[in-house]
PDB file of all heavy atoms in Angstrom:
ATOM      1  N   VAL A1210      -0.983  -0.513   5.436  1.00 97.00           N
ATOM      2  CA  VAL A1210      -0.103   0.621   5.674  1.00 97.00           C
ATOM      3  C   VAL A1210      -0.913   1.805   6.182  1.00 97.00           C
ATOM      4  O   VAL A1210      -2.077   1.958   5.821  1.00 97.00           O
ATOM      5  CB  VAL A1210       0.671   0.994   4.375  1.00 97.00           C
ATOM      6  CG1 VAL A1210      -0.265   1.438   3.274  1.00 97.00           C
ATOM      7  CG2 VAL A1210       1.745   2.040   4.630  1.00 97.00           C
ATOM      8  N   ARG A1211      -0.293   2.590   7.050  1.00 97.00           N
ATOM      9  CA  ARG A1211      -0.844   3.867   7.509  1.00 97.00           C
ATOM     10  C   ARG A1211      -0.108   4.951   6.743  1.00 97.00           C
ATOM     11  O   ARG A1211       1.126   4.945   6.685  1.00 97.00           O
ATOM     12  CB  ARG A1211      -0.604   4.045   9.004  1.00 97.00           C
ATOM     13  CG  ARG A1211      -1.315   3.024   9.864  1.00 97.00           C
ATOM     14  CD  ARG A1211      -0.911   3.139  11.320  1.00 97.00           C
ATOM     15  NE  ARG A1211      -1.229   4.476  11.805  1.00 97.00           N
ATOM     16  CZ  ARG A1211      -0.532   5.103  12.750  1.00 97.00           C
ATOM     17  NH1 ARG A1211       0.528   4.550  13.292  1.00 97.00           N
ATOM     18  NH2 ARG A1211      -0.891   6.310  13.151  1.00 97.00           N
ATOM     19  N   ILE A1212      -0.848   5.885   6.163  1.00 97.00           N
ATOM     20  CA  ILE A1212      -0.197   6.977   5.436  1.00 97.00           C
ATOM     21  C   ILE A1212      -0.790   8.311   5.857  1.00 97.00           C
ATOM     22  O   ILE A1212      -1.927   8.383   6.324  1.00 97.00           O
ATOM     23  CB  ILE A1212      -0.306   6.807   3.899  1.00 97.00           C
ATOM     24  CG1 ILE A1212      -1.749   6.970   3.426  1.00 97.00           C
ATOM     25  CG2 ILE A1212       0.267   5.474   3.457  1.00 97.00           C
ATOM     26  CD1 ILE A1212      -1.887   7.091   1.925  1.00 97.00           C
ATOM     27  N   GLU A1213       0.002   9.340   5.687  1.00 97.00           N
ATOM     28  CA  GLU A1213      -0.464  10.706   5.909  1.00 97.00           C
ATOM     29  C   GLU A1213       0.522  11.631   5.221  1.00 97.00           C
ATOM     30  O   GLU A1213       1.733  11.412   5.275  1.00 97.00           O
ATOM     31  CB  GLU A1213      -0.545  11.035   7.396  1.00 97.00           C
ATOM     32  CG  GLU A1213      -1.178  12.394   7.673  1.00 97.00           C
ATOM     33  CD  GLU A1213      -1.411  12.622   9.164  1.00 97.00           C
ATOM     34  OE1 GLU A1213      -0.415  12.811   9.889  1.00 97.00           O
ATOM     35  OE2 GLU A1213      -2.578  12.576   9.577  1.00 97.00           O
ATOM     36  N   GLY A1214      -0.004  12.649   4.556  1.00 96.00           N
ATOM     37  CA  GLY A1214       0.837  13.605   3.863  1.00 96.00           C
ATOM     38  C   GLY A1214       1.090  13.192   2.428  1.00 96.00           C
ATOM     39  O   GLY A1214       0.339  12.413   1.833  1.00 96.00           O
ATOM     40  N   ASP A1215       2.168  13.728   1.883  1.00 95.00           N
ATOM     41  CA  ASP A1215       2.525  13.544   0.487  1.00 95.00           C
ATOM     42  C   ASP A1215       3.558  12.439   0.340  1.00 95.00           C
ATOM     43  O   ASP A1215       4.472  12.328   1.149  1.00 95.00           O
ATOM     44  CB  ASP A1215       3.133  14.854  -0.036  1.00 95.00           C
ATOM     45  CG  ASP A1215       2.576  15.273  -1.373  1.00 95.00           C
ATOM     46  OD1 ASP A1215       1.815  14.501  -1.977  1.00 95.00           O
ATOM     47  OD2 ASP A1215       2.916  16.380  -1.817  1.00 95.00           O
ATOM     48  N   PHE A1216       3.437  11.645  -0.718  1.00 94.00           N
ATOM     49  CA  PHE A1216       4.444  10.634  -1.044  1.00 94.00           C
ATOM     50  C   PHE A1216       5.303  11.189  -2.170  1.00 94.00           C
ATOM     51  O   PHE A1216       5.369  12.402  -2.372  1.00 94.00           O
ATOM     52  CB  PHE A1216       3.758   9.315  -1.430  1.00 94.00           C
ATOM     53  CG  PHE A1216       4.644   8.110  -1.290  1.00 94.00           C
ATOM     54  CD1 PHE A1216       5.298   7.833  -0.102  1.00 94.00           C
ATOM     55  CD2 PHE A1216       4.821   7.233  -2.354  1.00 94.00           C
ATOM     56  CE1 PHE A1216       6.116   6.719   0.031  1.00 94.00           C
ATOM     57  CE2 PHE A1216       5.632   6.121  -2.236  1.00 94.00           C
ATOM     58  CZ  PHE A1216       6.280   5.851  -1.041  1.00 94.00           C
ATOM     59  N   ILE A1217       5.972  10.339  -2.914  1.00 91.00           N
ATOM     60  CA  ILE A1217       6.816  10.776  -4.015  1.00 91.00           C
ATOM     61  C   ILE A1217       6.264  10.246  -5.335  1.00 91.00           C
ATOM     62  O   ILE A1217       5.542   9.253  -5.367  1.00 91.00           O
ATOM     63  CB  ILE A1217       8.274  10.283  -3.838  1.00 91.00           C
ATOM     64  CG1 ILE A1217       8.330   8.751  -3.833  1.00 91.00           C
ATOM     65  CG2 ILE A1217       8.900  10.871  -2.587  1.00 91.00           C
ATOM     66  CD1 ILE A1217       9.717   8.186  -3.908  1.00 91.00           C
ATOM     67  N   TRP A1218       6.609  10.927  -6.414  1.00 95.00           N
ATOM     68  CA  TRP A1218       6.256  10.435  -7.744  1.00 95.00           C
ATOM     69  C   TRP A1218       7.055   9.169  -8.019  1.00 95.00           C
ATOM     70  O   TRP A1218       8.269   9.130  -7.780  1.00 95.00           O
ATOM     71  CB  TRP A1218       6.592  11.475  -8.811  1.00 95.00           C
ATOM     72  CG  TRP A1218       5.632  12.608  -8.856  1.00 95.00           C
ATOM     73  CD1 TRP A1218       5.822  13.864  -8.354  1.00 95.00           C
ATOM     74  CD2 TRP A1218       4.318  12.600  -9.436  1.00 95.00           C
ATOM     75  NE1 TRP A1218       4.706  14.636  -8.580  1.00 95.00           N
ATOM     76  CE2 TRP A1218       3.766  13.881  -9.252  1.00 95.00           C
ATOM     77  CE3 TRP A1218       3.557  11.637 -10.097  1.00 95.00           C
ATOM     78  CZ2 TRP A1218       2.500  14.229  -9.694  1.00 95.00           C
ATOM     79  CZ3 TRP A1218       2.295  11.977 -10.536  1.00 95.00           C
ATOM     80  CH2 TRP A1218       1.780  13.253 -10.327  1.00 95.00           C
ATOM     81  N   HIS A1219       6.367   8.132  -8.467  1.00 92.00           N
ATOM     82  CA  HIS A1219       7.033   6.870  -8.786  1.00 92.00           C
ATOM     83  C   HIS A1219       6.136   6.031  -9.686  1.00 92.00           C
ATOM     84  O   HIS A1219       4.960   6.348  -9.875  1.00 92.00           O
ATOM     85  CB  HIS A1219       7.373   6.101  -7.505  1.00 92.00           C
ATOM     86  CG  HIS A1219       6.167   5.557  -6.797  1.00 92.00           C
ATOM     87  ND1 HIS A1219       5.312   6.360  -6.064  1.00 92.00           N
ATOM     88  CD2 HIS A1219       5.658   4.303  -6.738  1.00 92.00           C
ATOM     89  CE1 HIS A1219       4.343   5.603  -5.568  1.00 92.00           C
ATOM     90  NE2 HIS A1219       4.526   4.356  -5.970  1.00 92.00           N
ATOM     91  N   ASP A1220       6.693   4.970 -10.241  1.00 93.00           N
ATOM     92  CA  ASP A1220       5.890   4.007 -10.991  1.00 93.00           C
ATOM     93  C   ASP A1220       6.415   2.608 -10.710  1.00 93.00           C
ATOM     94  O   ASP A1220       7.413   2.429 -10.018  1.00 93.00           O
ATOM     95  CB  ASP A1220       5.897   4.317 -12.494  1.00 93.00           C
ATOM     96  CG  ASP A1220       7.252   4.097 -13.143  1.00 93.00           C
ATOM     97  OD1 ASP A1220       8.263   3.901 -12.428  1.00 93.00           O
ATOM     98  OD2 ASP A1220       7.314   4.115 -14.378  1.00 93.00           O
ATOM     99  N   HIS A1221       5.688   1.628 -11.212  1.00 92.00           N
ATOM    100  CA  HIS A1221       6.067   0.223 -11.099  1.00 92.00           C
ATOM    101  C   HIS A1221       6.027  -0.342 -12.523  1.00 92.00           C
ATOM    102  O   HIS A1221       4.959  -0.736 -12.996  1.00 92.00           O
ATOM    103  CB  HIS A1221       5.109  -0.532 -10.171  1.00 92.00           C
ATOM    104  CG  HIS A1221       5.026   0.071  -8.808  1.00 92.00           C
ATOM    105  ND1 HIS A1221       5.994  -0.120  -7.844  1.00 92.00           N
ATOM    106  CD2 HIS A1221       4.107   0.899  -8.251  1.00 92.00           C
ATOM    107  CE1 HIS A1221       5.669   0.550  -6.753  1.00 92.00           C
ATOM    108  NE2 HIS A1221       4.532   1.181  -6.967  1.00 92.00           N
ATOM    109  N   PRO A1222       7.173  -0.345 -13.216  1.00 93.00           N
ATOM    110  CA  PRO A1222       7.203  -0.718 -14.635  1.00 93.00           C
ATOM    111  C   PRO A1222       6.747  -2.147 -14.930  1.00 93.00           C
ATOM    112  O   PRO A1222       6.278  -2.417 -16.027  1.00 93.00           O
ATOM    113  CB  PRO A1222       8.675  -0.549 -15.023  1.00 93.00           C
ATOM    114  CG  PRO A1222       9.280   0.308 -13.980  1.00 93.00           C
ATOM    115  CD  PRO A1222       8.480   0.081 -12.729  1.00 93.00           C
TER     116      PRO A1222
END
Side-chain angles (χ1 to χ4, degrees):
V1210 63
R1211 296 173 59 211
I1212 68 168
E1213 187 173 71
D1215 226 353
F1216 201 54
I1217 62 170
W1218 284 103
H1219 70 285
D1220 68 349
H1221 303 282

